[in-house]
């Protein structure tokens, strides 16, 4: 299982991804609050899920 933590703010969002053993897959990714950046996030998470074969839990 991969855990995605998102710090939500008005203009930008910061996130990190770790697994159940504490391995860091994404230490810090910052996206702006717009459609293009959310698409980038969606693609990044889909690619990570494909490469690891793990499910995602987002909080």
């Amino acid at each position: 299982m991969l855990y995605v933590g998102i710090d939500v703010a008005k203009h930008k969002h910061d996130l990190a991804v770790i697994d159940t053993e504490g391995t860091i897959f994404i230490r810090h990714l910052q996206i702006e609050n717009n459609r293009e950046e959310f698409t980038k996030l969606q693609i990044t998470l889909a690619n990570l899920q494909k490469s690891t074969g793990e499910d995602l839990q987002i909080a």
Side-chain angles (χ1 to χ4, degrees):
M1 177 76 64
L2 297 176
Y3 298 98
V4 182
I6 302 176
D7 180 18
V8 178
K10 186 174 183 178
H11 299 288
K12 64 177 180 70
H13 311 298
D14 298 291
L15 66 109
V17 180
I18 64 170
D19 68 5
T20 54
E21 291 145 13
T23 303
I24 299 170
F25 285 85
I26 299 176
R27 181 172 299 279
H28 180 247
L29 176 65
Q30 188 174 88
I31 64 167
E32 293 182 20
N33 195 10
N34 60 47
R35 181 178 298 274
E36 294 82 20
E37 294 288 307
F38 276 100
T39 300
K40 173 182 155 184
L41 174 60
Q42 183 179 18
I43 292 168
T44 300
L45 294 179
N47 288 337
L48 185 59
Q49 190 174 20
K50 277 185 192 176
S51 68
T52 63
E54 298 284 338
D55 290 330
L56 295 174
Q57 182 90 27
I58 301 174

